[in-house]
Amino acid sequence: MSYDNRIEIARHDIITKNTELEIYLVHPYYHWVRGANENTNGLARSHLLKGTSFNEIDLKKLLTIQEKLNNIPWSIIGYKPLKNRL
């Protein structure tokens, strides 16, 4: 999970402990990363109804969404899927 450095993530250590998710914080002076983060959140939410709690989504559905997002042919990486760009 990645977050920008806003106040709501001040206690990210508690979230990590309770969910066992790795949390990555955006470097404070890399302003362009926030846009990428917000865009990715929007793409993920496009697969879920507004108001859907992530606690109510099964792992199979999350993995399906992840696979779709990782295979978007972005022009910035030569229209290659993210998982095959290296």
Coordinates of all heavy atoms in Angstrom, one line a residue:
M1 N 0.8 -1.2 0.0 CA 0.0 0.0 0.0 C 0.9 1.2 0.0 O 1.9 1.2 0.7 CB -0.9 0.0 1.2 CG -1.9 1.0 1.3 SD -3.0 0.8 2.7 CE -4.0 -0.6 2.2
S2 N 0.5 2.2 -0.7 CA 1.3 3.5 -0.8 C 0.5 4.7 -0.4 O -0.7 4.7 -0.8 CB 2.0 3.7 -2.1 OG 1.1 3.8 -3.1
Y3 N 1.1 5.6 0.3 CA 0.4 6.8 0.7 C 1.3 8.0 0.5 O 2.5 7.9 0.5 CB 0.1 6.7 2.2 CG -1.0 5.8 2.6 CD1 -0.7 4.5 3.1 CD2 -2.3 6.2 2.5 CE1 -1.7 3.7 3.5 CE2 -3.3 5.3 2.9 CZ -3.0 4.1 3.4 OH -4.0 3.2 3.8
D4 N 0.6 9.2 0.3 CA 1.4 10.4 0.4 C 1.5 10.7 1.9 O 1.0 10.0 2.7 CB 0.8 11.5 -0.4 CG -0.7 11.8 -0.1 OD1 -1.1 11.3 1.0 OD2 -1.4 12.5 -0.8
N5 N 2.2 11.8 2.2 CA 2.6 12.1 3.6 C 1.5 13.0 4.2 O 1.9 14.1 4.7 CB 4.0 12.7 3.7 CG 5.0 11.7 3.3 OD1 5.0 10.6 3.8 ND2 5.9 12.0 2.4
R6 N 0.3 12.7 4.2 CA -0.7 13.5 4.8 C -1.0 13.0 6.2 O -0.6 11.9 6.6 CB -2.0 13.5 3.9 CG -1.7 14.2 2.6 CD -2.7 14.1 1.5 NE -4.1 14.1 2.0 CZ -5.1 14.0 1.2 NH1 -5.0 13.7 0.0 NH2 -6.4 14.0 1.7
I7 N -1.8 13.8 6.9 CA -2.0 13.5 8.4 C -2.7 12.2 8.6 O -2.5 11.6 9.6 CB -2.8 14.7 9.0 CG1 -2.8 14.6 10.5 CG2 -4.2 14.8 8.5 CD1 -1.4 14.8 11.2
E8 N -3.6 11.8 7.7 CA -4.4 10.5 8.0 C -3.5 9.3 8.0 O -3.9 8.2 8.5 CB -5.5 10.3 7.0 CG -5.1 10.1 5.5 CD -5.0 11.4 4.7 OE1 -5.0 12.5 5.3 OE2 -5.0 11.3 3.5
I9 N -2.3 9.4 7.6 CA -1.4 8.2 7.6 C -0.3 8.3 8.7 O 0.6 7.5 8.8 CB -0.8 7.9 6.2 CG1 -0.2 6.5 6.1 CG2 0.3 9.0 5.9 CD1 -1.2 5.4 6.4
A10 N -0.5 9.3 9.6 CA 0.4 9.5 10.7 C 0.7 8.3 11.5 O 1.8 8.1 12.1 CB 0.0 10.6 11.6
R11 N -0.3 7.4 11.7 CA -0.1 6.2 12.5 C -0.1 4.9 11.6 O -0.7 3.9 11.9 CB -1.3 6.1 13.5 CG -1.3 7.2 14.5 CD 0.0 7.5 15.3 NE 0.5 6.3 15.9 CZ 0.3 6.0 17.2 NH1 -0.4 6.8 18.0 NH2 0.8 4.9 17.7
H12 N 0.7 5.0 10.5 CA 0.8 3.9 9.6 C 1.3 2.6 10.2 O 1.0 1.5 9.8 CB 1.6 4.3 8.3 CG 3.0 4.6 8.7 ND1 4.0 3.6 8.8 CD2 3.6 5.8 8.9 CE1 5.2 4.2 9.1 NE2 5.0 5.5 9.2
D13 N 2.1 2.8 11.3 CA 2.6 1.6 12.0 C 1.5 0.8 12.6 O 1.6 -0.5 12.6 CB 3.6 2.1 13.1 CG 3.0 3.1 14.1 OD1 2.1 3.9 13.7 OD2 3.4 3.1 15.3
I14 N 0.4 1.4 13.0 CA -0.7 0.6 13.6 C -1.4 -0.1 12.4 O -1.8 -1.3 12.6 CB -1.7 1.6 14.3 CG1 -1.1 2.1 15.5 CG2 -3.0 0.8 14.6 CD1 -1.8 3.2 16.2
I15 N -1.6 0.5 11.3 CA -2.2 -0.1 10.1 C -1.4 -1.3 9.7 O -1.9 -2.4 9.4 CB -2.4 0.8 8.9 CG1 -3.4 2.0 9.3 CG2 -2.9 0.1 7.7 CD1 -3.4 3.1 8.3
T16 N -0.1 -1.2 9.6 CA 0.8 -2.2 9.3 C 0.7 -3.4 10.2 O 0.6 -4.6 9.8 CB 2.3 -1.8 9.2 OG1 2.4 -0.7 8.2 CG2 3.2 -2.9 8.9
K17 N 0.7 -3.1 11.5 CA 0.6 -4.2 12.5 C -0.7 -4.9 12.4 O -0.8 -6.1 12.5 CB 0.7 -3.5 13.9 CG 0.7 -4.5 15.1 CD 0.8 -3.9 16.4 CE 0.7 -4.9 17.5 NZ 0.8 -4.3 18.8
N18 N -1.8 -4.2 12.2 CA -3.2 -4.8 12.2 C -3.5 -5.5 10.9 O -4.3 -6.4 10.9 CB -4.2 -3.8 12.5 CG -4.2 -3.3 13.9 OD1 -3.7 -4.0 14.8 ND2 -4.7 -2.1 14.2
T19 N -2.9 -5.1 9.8 CA -3.2 -5.7 8.5 C -2.1 -6.5 7.9 O -2.3 -7.2 6.9 CB -3.6 -4.6 7.5 OG1 -2.4 -3.8 7.3 CG2 -4.7 -3.8 8.0
E20 N -0.9 -6.4 8.4 CA 0.3 -7.1 7.9 C 0.6 -6.6 6.4 O 1.3 -7.3 5.7 CB 0.2 -8.6 7.9 CG 0.1 -9.1 9.4 CD 0.0 -10.6 9.5 OE1 0.2 -11.3 8.4 OE2 -0.3 -11.1 10.5
L21 N 0.1 -5.4 6.0 CA 0.4 -4.8 4.7 C 1.7 -4.0 4.8 O 2.0 -3.4 5.9 CB -0.7 -3.9 4.3 CG -2.0 -4.5 3.9 CD1 -3.0 -3.4 3.6 CD2 -1.9 -5.3 2.6
E22 N 2.5 -4.1 3.8 CA 3.7 -3.2 3.7 C 3.2 -1.8 3.2 O 2.5 -1.8 2.3 CB 4.7 -3.7 2.8 CG 5.4 -5.0 3.3 CD 6.5 -5.4 2.3 OE1 7.3 -4.6 1.9 OE2 6.6 -6.6 2.1
I23 N 3.6 -0.8 3.9 CA 3.1 0.6 3.6 C 4.3 1.4 3.1 O 5.4 1.4 3.8 CB 2.4 1.3 4.7 CG1 1.1 0.5 5.0 CG2 2.2 2.7 4.4 CD1 0.3 1.1 6.1
Y24 N 4.2 2.0 2.0 CA 5.3 2.8 1.4 C 4.8 4.3 1.4 O 3.7 4.6 1.0 CB 5.6 2.4 0.0 CG 6.0 1.0 -0.1 CD1 5.1 -0.1 -0.3 CD2 7.3 0.6 0.1 CE1 5.5 -1.4 -0.4 CE2 7.7 -0.7 0.0 CZ 6.8 -1.7 -0.2 OH 7.2 -3.0 -0.3
L25 N 5.6 5.2 1.9 CA 5.3 6.6 2.0 C 6.0 7.3 0.8 O 7.2 7.0 0.5 CB 5.7 7.2 3.3 CG 5.0 6.5 4.5 CD1 5.6 7.1 5.8 CD2 3.5 6.7 4.5
V26 N 5.3 8.3 0.2 CA 5.9 9.0 -0.9 C 6.9 10.0 -0.3 O 6.7 10.6 0.7 CB 4.7 9.8 -1.6 CG1 5.3 10.7 -2.6 CG2 3.8 8.8 -2.2
H27 N 8.0 10.2 -1.1 CA 9.0 11.2 -0.7 C 8.3 12.6 -0.7 O 7.6 12.9 -1.6 CB 10.1 11.1 -1.7 CG 11.3 11.9 -1.3 ND1 11.3 13.3 -1.4 CD2 12.5 11.6 -0.7 CE1 12.5 13.8 -0.9 NE2 13.2 12.7 -0.5
P28 N 8.5 13.4 0.4 CA 7.8 14.6 0.5 C 8.0 15.6 -0.7 O 7.2 16.5 -0.9 CB 8.3 15.2 1.8 CG 9.4 14.4 2.3 CD 9.4 13.1 1.5
Y29 N 9.1 15.6 -1.4 CA 9.4 16.6 -2.5 C 9.2 16.0 -3.8 O 9.5 16.6 -4.8 CB 10.8 17.1 -2.3 CG 11.0 17.8 -1.0 CD1 11.7 17.2 0.1 CD2 10.4 19.0 -0.7 CE1 11.8 17.8 1.3 CE2 10.5 19.6 0.5 CZ 11.2 19.0 1.5 OH 11.3 19.6 2.8
Y30 N 8.6 14.8 -4.0 CA 8.3 14.2 -5.3 C 6.8 14.4 -5.6 O 6.0 13.5 -5.5 CB 8.7 12.7 -5.2 CG 10.1 12.4 -5.2 CD1 11.1 13.3 -4.8 CD2 10.6 11.2 -5.7 CE1 12.4 13.0 -4.7 CE2 11.9 10.9 -5.7 CZ 12.8 11.8 -5.2 OH 14.2 11.4 -5.2
H31 N 6.5 15.7 -5.9 CA 5.1 16.0 -6.0 C 4.4 15.2 -7.1 O 3.2 15.0 -7.1 CB 4.9 17.5 -6.3 CG 5.6 18.0 -7.6 ND1 7.0 18.2 -7.6 CD2 5.2 18.1 -8.8 CE1 7.3 18.6 -8.8 NE2 6.2 18.5 -9.6
W32 N 5.1 14.8 -8.1 CA 4.4 14.1 -9.3 C 4.0 12.7 -8.9 O 3.1 12.1 -9.5 CB 5.4 14.0 -10.4 CG 6.7 13.2 -10.1 CD1 6.9 11.9 -10.2 CD2 7.9 13.8 -9.6 NE1 8.1 11.6 -9.8 CE2 8.8 12.8 -9.4 CE3 8.3 15.1 -9.3 CZ2 10.1 13.0 -9.0 CZ3 9.6 15.3 -8.9 CH2 10.4 14.2 -8.7
V33 N 4.5 12.1 -7.8 CA 4.1 10.8 -7.4 C 2.6 10.8 -6.9 O 1.9 9.8 -7.0 CB 5.1 10.3 -6.3 CG1 4.6 8.9 -5.8 CG2 6.4 10.2 -6.9
R34 N 2.2 11.9 -6.2 CA 0.9 12.0 -5.7 C -0.2 11.8 -6.9 O -1.1 11.1 -6.7 CB 0.6 13.3 -5.0 CG -0.8 13.3 -4.5 CD -1.1 14.5 -3.6 NE -2.5 14.4 -3.4 CZ -3.0 14.7 -2.3 NH1 -2.3 15.1 -1.3 NH2 -4.3 14.7 -2.1
G35 N 0.1 12.4 -8.0 CA -0.8 12.3 -9.1 C -0.9 10.8 -9.6 O -2.0 10.3 -9.9
A36 N 0.2 10.2 -9.7 CA 0.2 8.8 -10.1 C -0.5 7.9 -9.1 O -1.3 7.0 -9.4 CB 1.7 8.3 -10.2
N37 N -0.4 8.2 -7.8 CA -1.1 7.5 -6.7 C -2.6 7.7 -6.8 O -3.3 6.7 -6.8 CB -0.5 7.9 -5.4 CG -1.2 7.2 -4.2 OD1 -2.3 7.4 -3.9 ND2 -0.4 6.3 -3.6
E38 N -3.0 8.9 -7.0 CA -4.4 9.2 -7.1 C -5.0 8.6 -8.4 O -6.1 8.1 -8.4 CB -4.7 10.7 -7.2 CG -4.3 11.4 -5.9 CD -5.2 11.0 -4.7 OE1 -6.4 10.7 -4.9 OE2 -4.7 10.9 -3.6
N39 N -4.3 8.6 -9.5 CA -4.7 8.0 -10.7 C -4.9 6.5 -10.5 O -5.9 5.9 -11.0 CB -3.7 8.2 -11.9 CG -4.2 7.7 -13.2 OD1 -5.3 8.0 -13.6 ND2 -3.4 6.9 -13.8
T40 N -4.0 5.8 -9.9 CA -4.0 4.4 -9.7 C -5.2 4.1 -8.7 O -6.0 3.1 -9.0 CB -2.7 3.9 -9.0 OG1 -1.7 4.2 -9.9 CG2 -2.8 2.4 -8.8
N41 N -5.4 4.9 -7.7 CA -6.6 4.7 -6.8 C -7.9 4.8 -7.6 O -8.8 4.0 -7.4 CB -6.6 5.7 -5.7 CG -5.5 5.5 -4.7 OD1 -4.9 4.4 -4.6 ND2 -5.3 6.5 -3.9
G42 N -8.0 5.8 -8.5 CA -9.1 5.9 -9.4 C -9.4 4.7 -10.3 O -10.5 4.3 -10.5
L43 N -8.3 4.2 -10.9 CA -8.4 3.0 -11.7 C -8.9 1.8 -10.9 O -9.7 1.1 -11.4 CB -7.1 2.7 -12.4 CG -6.6 3.7 -13.4 CD1 -5.2 3.4 -13.8 CD2 -7.5 3.7 -14.6
A44 N -8.4 1.7 -9.7 CA -8.8 0.5 -8.9 C -10.3 0.7 -8.5 O -11.1 -0.2 -8.6 CB -8.0 0.5 -7.6
R45 N -10.7 1.9 -8.1 CA -12.1 2.2 -7.8 C -13.0 2.1 -8.9 O -14.2 1.8 -8.7 CB -12.2 3.6 -7.1 CG -11.8 3.6 -5.7 CD -12.8 2.8 -4.9 NE -12.5 2.9 -3.5 CZ -13.2 2.2 -2.6 NH1 -14.2 1.4 -2.9 NH2 -12.9 2.3 -1.3
S46 N -12.5 2.2 -10.2 CA -13.4 2.0 -11.3 C -13.9 0.6 -11.4 O -14.9 0.3 -12.1 CB -12.7 2.4 -12.6 OG -11.7 1.4 -13.0
H47 N -13.3 -0.3 -10.7 CA -13.8 -1.7 -10.7 C -14.7 -2.0 -9.5 O -15.1 -3.2 -9.4 CB -12.6 -2.7 -10.7 CG -11.7 -2.6 -11.9 ND1 -12.0 -3.2 -13.1 CD2 -10.6 -1.9 -12.1 CE1 -11.1 -3.0 -14.0 NE2 -10.2 -2.1 -13.4
L48 N -14.9 -1.0 -8.7 CA -15.7 -1.2 -7.5 C -16.8 -0.2 -7.3 O -16.5 1.0 -7.7 CB -14.8 -1.2 -6.2 CG -13.6 -2.1 -6.3 CD1 -12.5 -1.7 -5.2 CD2 -14.0 -3.5 -6.0
L49 N -17.9 -0.5 -6.8 CA -19.0 0.4 -6.6 C -18.6 1.5 -5.6 O -17.9 1.1 -4.6 CB -20.3 -0.2 -6.2 CG -20.9 -1.2 -7.2 CD1 -22.1 -1.9 -6.6 CD2 -21.4 -0.4 -8.4
K50 N -19.0 2.7 -5.7 CA -18.7 3.7 -4.8 C -19.2 3.3 -3.4 O -20.3 2.8 -3.3 CB -19.3 5.1 -5.2 CG -18.9 6.2 -4.3 CD -19.4 7.5 -4.8 CE -19.0 8.6 -3.9 NZ -19.2 9.9 -4.5
G51 N -18.4 3.5 -2.4 CA -18.8 3.1 -1.0 C -18.5 1.7 -0.6 O -18.7 1.3 0.5
T52 N -17.9 0.9 -1.6 CA -17.6 -0.5 -1.3 C -16.4 -0.5 -0.3 O -15.4 0.2 -0.4 CB -17.1 -1.2 -2.5 OG1 -18.1 -1.2 -3.5 CG2 -16.7 -2.6 -2.2
S53 N -16.6 -1.2 0.8 CA -15.5 -1.4 1.8 C -14.5 -2.4 1.3 O -14.9 -3.5 0.8 CB -16.1 -1.8 3.1 OG -15.1 -2.2 4.0
F54 N -13.3 -2.1 1.4 CA -12.2 -3.1 1.0 C -12.3 -4.4 1.9 O -11.8 -5.4 1.5 CB -10.8 -2.5 1.0 CG -10.6 -1.7 -0.2 CD1 -10.9 -0.4 -0.2 CD2 -10.0 -2.3 -1.3 CE1 -10.7 0.4 -1.4 CE2 -9.7 -1.5 -2.5 CZ -10.1 -0.2 -2.5
N55 N -12.9 -4.2 3.1 CA -13.1 -5.4 3.9 C -14.1 -6.4 3.4 O -14.1 -7.5 3.8 CB -13.5 -5.0 5.3 CG -12.5 -4.2 6.0 OD1 -11.3 -4.4 5.9 ND2 -12.9 -3.2 6.8
E56 N -14.9 -6.0 2.4 CA -16.0 -6.8 1.9 C -15.6 -7.5 0.6 O -16.4 -8.2 0.0 CB -17.2 -6.0 1.7 CG -17.8 -5.4 3.0 CD -18.9 -4.4 2.8 OE1 -19.3 -4.2 1.6 OE2 -19.4 -3.9 3.8
I57 N -14.4 -7.2 0.1 CA -13.9 -7.8 -1.2 C -13.1 -9.0 -1.0 O -12.1 -9.0 -0.2 CB -13.1 -6.7 -2.0 CG1 -13.9 -5.4 -2.1 CG2 -12.7 -7.2 -3.3 CD1 -13.1 -4.2 -2.5
D58 N -13.4 -10.0 -1.7 CA -12.6 -11.3 -1.5 C -11.3 -11.2 -2.3 O -11.1 -10.4 -3.2 CB -13.4 -12.5 -1.9 CG -13.7 -12.6 -3.4 OD1 -13.3 -11.7 -4.2 OD2 -14.3 -13.7 -3.8
L59 N -10.3 -12.0 -1.9 CA -9.0 -12.0 -2.4 C -9.0 -12.2 -3.9 O -8.2 -11.6 -4.7 CB -8.1 -13.0 -1.7 CG -6.7 -13.0 -2.2 CD1 -6.0 -11.7 -2.0 CD2 -5.9 -14.1 -1.4
K60 N -9.8 -13.1 -4.4 CA -9.9 -13.4 -5.8 C -10.2 -12.2 -6.7 O -9.6 -11.9 -7.7 CB -10.9 -14.5 -6.1 CG -10.9 -15.0 -7.5 CD -11.8 -16.2 -7.8 CE -11.9 -16.6 -9.2 NZ -12.8 -17.7 -9.5
K61 N -11.2 -11.4 -6.2 CA -11.6 -10.2 -6.9 C -10.5 -9.2 -6.9 O -10.2 -8.5 -7.9 CB -12.9 -9.6 -6.3 CG -13.3 -8.4 -7.1 CD -14.7 -8.0 -6.7 CE -15.1 -6.8 -7.6 NZ -16.5 -6.6 -7.6
L62 N -9.8 -9.0 -5.7 CA -8.7 -8.1 -5.6 C -7.5 -8.5 -6.6 O -6.9 -7.6 -7.2 CB -8.2 -8.0 -4.2 CG -9.0 -7.2 -3.2 CD1 -8.4 -7.3 -1.8 CD2 -9.2 -5.8 -3.7
L63 N -7.3 -9.8 -6.7 CA -6.2 -10.2 -7.5 C -6.6 -10.0 -9.0 O -5.7 -9.7 -9.8 CB -5.9 -11.7 -7.3 CG -5.2 -12.0 -5.9 CD1 -5.1 -13.5 -5.7 CD2 -3.9 -11.3 -5.8
T64 N -7.9 -10.2 -9.4 CA -8.3 -9.9 -10.7 C -8.1 -8.4 -11.1 O -7.6 -8.1 -12.2 CB -9.8 -10.3 -10.9 OG1 -9.9 -11.7 -10.6 CG2 -10.3 -10.0 -12.3
I65 N -8.5 -7.5 -10.1 CA -8.3 -6.1 -10.4 C -6.8 -5.8 -10.5 O -6.4 -5.0 -11.4 CB -8.9 -5.3 -9.2 CG1 -10.5 -5.5 -9.2 CG2 -8.6 -3.8 -9.3 CD1 -11.2 -4.9 -8.0
Q66 N -6.0 -6.4 -9.6 CA -4.6 -6.2 -9.7 C -4.0 -6.6 -11.1 O -3.2 -5.9 -11.7 CB -3.9 -7.0 -8.6 CG -2.3 -6.9 -8.7 CD -1.7 -7.8 -7.6 OE1 -2.1 -7.8 -6.5 NE2 -0.8 -8.7 -8.1
E67 N -4.4 -7.7 -11.5 CA -4.0 -8.2 -12.8 C -4.3 -7.3 -14.0 O -3.5 -7.0 -14.8 CB -4.5 -9.6 -13.1 CG -4.0 -10.3 -14.3 CD -2.6 -10.7 -14.2 OE1 -2.0 -10.8 -13.1 OE2 -2.0 -10.9 -15.3
K68 N -5.6 -6.8 -13.9 CA -6.0 -5.8 -15.0 C -5.2 -4.5 -14.9 O -4.8 -4.0 -16.0 CB -7.5 -5.5 -14.8 CG -8.4 -6.6 -15.2 CD -9.9 -6.2 -15.0 CE -10.8 -7.3 -15.3 NZ -12.2 -7.0 -15.1
L69 N -4.9 -4.0 -13.7 CA -4.2 -2.8 -13.6 C -2.7 -3.0 -14.0 O -2.1 -2.1 -14.6 CB -4.2 -2.2 -12.1 CG -5.6 -1.8 -11.7 CD1 -5.5 -1.3 -10.2 CD2 -6.2 -0.7 -12.6
N70 N -2.2 -4.1 -13.7 CA -0.8 -4.4 -14.1 C -0.6 -4.7 -15.6 O 0.5 -4.7 -16.0 CB -0.2 -5.6 -13.3 CG 0.1 -5.2 -11.8 OD1 0.2 -4.0 -11.5 ND2 0.2 -6.2 -11.0
N71 N -1.7 -4.8 -16.3 CA -1.6 -5.1 -17.7 C -2.1 -4.0 -18.6 O -2.3 -4.2 -19.8 CB -2.3 -6.4 -18.0 CG -1.5 -7.6 -17.6 OD1 -0.4 -7.8 -18.1 ND2 -1.9 -8.3 -16.6
I72 N -2.3 -2.8 -18.0 CA -2.7 -1.6 -18.8 C -1.5 -1.2 -19.7 O -0.3 -1.1 -19.2 CB -3.1 -0.4 -17.9 CG1 -4.3 -0.8 -17.1 CG2 -3.2 0.9 -18.7 CD1 -4.7 0.3 -16.1
P73 N -1.7 -1.0 -21.0 CA -0.5 -0.7 -21.9 C -0.2 0.8 -21.8 O -0.6 1.5 -22.7 CB -1.1 -1.1 -23.3 CG -2.6 -1.0 -23.1 CD -2.9 -1.3 -21.7
W74 N 0.6 1.2 -20.8 CA 0.9 2.6 -20.7 C 1.9 3.0 -21.7 O 2.9 2.4 -22.0 CB 1.6 2.8 -19.3 CG 0.6 2.5 -18.2 CD1 0.7 1.4 -17.4 CD2 -0.4 3.3 -17.7 NE1 -0.3 1.5 -16.4 CE2 -1.0 2.6 -16.6 CE3 -1.0 4.5 -18.1 CZ2 -2.1 3.1 -15.9 CZ3 -2.1 5.0 -17.4 CH2 -2.6 4.3 -16.3
S75 N 1.7 4.2 -22.3 CA 2.6 4.7 -23.3 C 4.0 5.1 -22.8 O 5.0 4.9 -23.4 CB 2.0 6.0 -24.0 OG 1.9 7.0 -23.0
I76 N 4.0 5.5 -21.5 CA 5.3 5.9 -20.9 C 6.3 4.7 -20.8 O 7.5 4.9 -20.7 CB 5.1 6.5 -19.5 CG1 6.4 7.2 -19.0 CG2 4.6 5.5 -18.5 CD1 6.2 8.6 -18.8
I77 N 5.8 3.5 -20.8 CA 6.7 2.3 -20.8 C 6.6 1.5 -22.0 O 6.8 0.3 -22.0 CB 6.4 1.5 -19.5 CG1 4.9 1.0 -19.5 CG2 6.8 2.2 -18.2 CD1 4.6 0.0 -18.4
G78 N 6.3 2.2 -23.1 CA 6.4 1.6 -24.5 C 5.2 0.6 -24.7 O 5.3 -0.3 -25.4
Y79 N 4.1 0.9 -24.0 CA 2.9 0.1 -24.1 C 3.1 -1.4 -23.7 O 2.4 -2.3 -24.2 CB 2.3 0.1 -25.6 CG 1.9 1.5 -25.9 CD1 2.7 2.3 -26.7 CD2 0.7 2.0 -25.5 CE1 2.3 3.6 -27.0 CE2 0.3 3.3 -25.8 CZ 1.1 4.1 -26.5 OH 0.7 5.4 -26.8
K80 N 4.0 -1.6 -22.8 CA 4.3 -2.9 -22.3 C 3.6 -3.0 -20.9 O 3.5 -2.1 -20.2 CB 5.8 -3.2 -22.0 CG 6.6 -3.2 -23.3 CD 8.0 -3.3 -23.0 CE 8.8 -3.1 -24.3 NZ 10.3 -3.1 -24.0
P81 N 3.1 -4.2 -20.6 CA 2.5 -4.4 -19.2 C 3.5 -4.1 -18.2 O 4.7 -4.4 -18.3 CB 2.0 -5.9 -19.2 CG 2.0 -6.3 -20.6 CD 3.0 -5.4 -21.3
L82 N 3.1 -3.6 -17.0 CA 4.0 -3.3 -15.9 C 4.8 -4.5 -15.5 O 6.0 -4.4 -15.3 CB 3.2 -2.8 -14.7 CG 2.6 -1.4 -14.8 CD1 1.8 -1.1 -13.6 CD2 3.7 -0.4 -15.0
K83 N 4.2 -5.7 -15.5 CA 5.0 -6.8 -15.0 C 6.0 -7.3 -16.0 O 6.9 -8.1 -15.6 CB 4.1 -8.0 -14.6 CG 3.3 -8.6 -15.7 CD 2.4 -9.7 -15.2 CE 1.6 -10.3 -16.4 NZ 0.7 -11.3 -15.9
N84 N 6.0 -6.8 -17.2 CA 6.9 -7.3 -18.3 C 7.8 -6.1 -18.7 O 8.5 -6.3 -19.7 CB 6.2 -7.8 -19.5 CG 5.4 -9.1 -19.2 OD1 5.9 -9.9 -18.3 ND2 4.3 -9.3 -19.8
R85 N 7.8 -5.0 -18.0 CA 8.6 -3.9 -18.5 C 10.1 -3.9 -18.3 O 10.8 -3.2 -18.9 CB 8.0 -2.6 -17.9 CG 8.3 -2.5 -16.5 CD 7.6 -1.2 -15.9 NE 7.7 -1.3 -14.5 CZ 8.0 -0.3 -13.7 NH1 8.3 0.9 -14.3 NH2 8.0 -0.4 -12.4
L86 N 10.6 -4.8 -17.5 CA 12.0 -4.9 -17.2 C 12.7 -5.8 -18.2 O 12.2 -6.7 -18.7 CB 12.3 -5.3 -15.8 CG 11.7 -4.4 -14.7 CD1 11.9 -5.0 -13.3 CD2 12.3 -3.0 -14.8

